[in-house]
Amino acid sequence: MFDGLRYPLPTDESKILVCPACEGKNRLPLCRALEQPDKARCGRCQAPLLAPRDAPLLIEATSYRHPLDQKATEALEAIPGISSLLRKLVEVTSERYDRLFNQSSYVRVSDRQFPHILRQFEKVASRLGLRELPELYVYGSGEANAYTSGVEKHYVALSSVLCDAFSPDELSAVMAHELSHILSEHVLYKTAARLFTFAAAELAKATLGIGQVLLIPLQLALLKWDRCSELTADRGMLLGTSDPTLCLRVLAKLACGSRRLSEQLSLPDFMQQALAARQAPEENVLDKIYSLMQTASRTHPFPLWRAAELWQWSCRGDYLSLLHPSRVRNSTPSPSGAATDDGSEVRDAETGSS
Ligand SMILES: [Zn+2]
Ligand SMILES: [Zn+2]
């Protein structure tokens, strides 16, 4: 299935979803489900087959973790005492420095300061089921970027160019990506990866390169993990928005970098390039690319790879099972979206098309 993955999807690919109300099986064309999830309805009783775009979801972060993230995390956690060592290191260094730095140079988003951004942030956090809203900051930067940090007290920071050049929907998608890092408990290792990049350079200077040799294996493991964690957070971005096209456009804009050229970006061409790049190399080649990029300073590398990975995940349809109405918080218990092959009748779902 989906050997020659295309963008957009051909109309004959479909997924069978079980109706939460009448338990009837529905055949839902994937392209319709990806484009307009709100319109997917049961062919027998017209109940919605997917959670509405703004409904608060109840999804375990482990249920959408990317396998490369899983693998890299296991490799990292195989290092004895790694978690407590990094926690201590972060606590005595960047945790204190970060708070001081944010308070003196970033603008804190609040009810009085950019309240529209705060409302958006609250909405996305509620959608993804975050229990506690992290602090949100805007910082001056010419690069469209965002990051999440703060091990004891999480915060999200958005660059000024990101706020200027991205539409409100695109900004929400970026917020969903960042909040997914928190839900997936990525923040300690991400902070440590950033800290190590800085510390290794400082240590190399102080010890004429000897200290760097000692730090490199741990740094490489952390940086590899860091890049893999992006793939999970991209899945969170998709769940947070239910809009693959929006998420892919965000990745295309991040790849392009130019505000002016972004307006002329062709998403189909971008996706063709991304999917062609994905065809050849498999995981071991990806590993090599990651290794080559270890020292690169970009925190969100390979937007094209990420776009291809995200598109593939969308098209497999697993993501639609995570958007089944039974996953909406406070919904009444009902059968899950996964259909079993019990020979019962399968109807065509209604999709609001003429
Ligand atoms: Zn039904
Ligand atoms: Zn990220």
Side-chain angles (χ1 to χ4, degrees), residues 192-207:
R194 266 212 316 278
L195 179 69
F196 261 66
T197 308
F198 169 74
E202 288 302 299
L203 214 67
K205 265 190 258 165
T207 60

Side-chain angles (χ1 to χ4, degrees), residues 112-287:
R112 291 182 303 281
Q113 193 77 270
F114 320 136
H116 62 289
I117 299 184
L118 185 65
R119 295 291 94 78
Q120 246 181 286
F121 193 54
E122 287 167 346
K123 231 170 122 179
V124 178
S126 151
R127 162 78 171 177
L128 289 172
L130 245 88
R131 284 199 194 89
E132 211 177 311
L133 195 70
E135 290 180 357
L136 180 64
Y137 293 92
V138 173
Y139 65 98
S141 168
E143 192 185 0
N145 202 0
Y147 71 90
T148 300
S149 194
V151 175
E152 293 308 319
K153 204 170 173 203
H154 302 321
Y155 68 86
V156 174
L158 310 170
S159 80
S160 50
V161 164
L162 187 85
C163 297
D164 288 345
F166 280 45
S167 71
D169 281 351
E170 290 164 354
L171 203 58
S172 287
V174 173
M175 288 170 178
H177 172 102
E178 294 306 324
L179 292 175
S180 299
H181 279 312
I182 293 175
L183 282 167
S184 307
E185 298 180 359
H186 285 160
V187 186
L188 171 64
Y189 290 160
K190 282 199 93 63
T191 309
R194 266 212 316 278
L195 179 69
F196 261 66
T197 308
F198 169 74
E202 288 302 299
L203 214 67
K205 265 190 258 165
T207 60
L208 300 174
I210 299 164
Q212 195 176 23
V213 172
L214 298 174
L215 283 178
I216 277 176
L218 183 52
Q219 189 189 0
L220 290 187
L222 270 172
L223 288 177
K224 178 178 173 182
W225 171 86
D226 190 25
R227 286 168 172 83
C228 296
S229 75
E230 292 306 314
L231 302 172
T232 297
D234 285 343
R235 292 179 171 193
M237 164 162 72
L238 180 52
L239 292 169
T241 58
S242 278
D243 190 340
T245 306
L246 170 68
C247 296
L248 298 174
R249 195 168 65 236
V250 162
L251 292 174
K253 283 179 88 164
L254 288 172
C256 172
S258 155
R259 182 178 184 171
R260 195 163 51 88
L261 291 178
S262 288
E263 288 163 15
Q264 301 161 29
L265 258 174
S266 153
L267 192 55
D269 284 1
F270 174 83
M271 286 311 297
Q272 243 173 35
Q273 185 193 338
L275 294 170
R278 204 200 173 283
Q279 294 249 318
E282 277 312 323
E283 197 190 317
N284 53 346
V285 184
L286 182 60
D287 270 355

Side-chain angles (χ1 to χ4, degrees), residues 18-34:
V18 177
C19 169
C22 74
E23 301 187 23
K25 282 191 209 165
N26 287 267
R27 183 180 295 103
L28 184 60
L30 265 176
C31 56
R32 302 290 297 166
L34 299 186

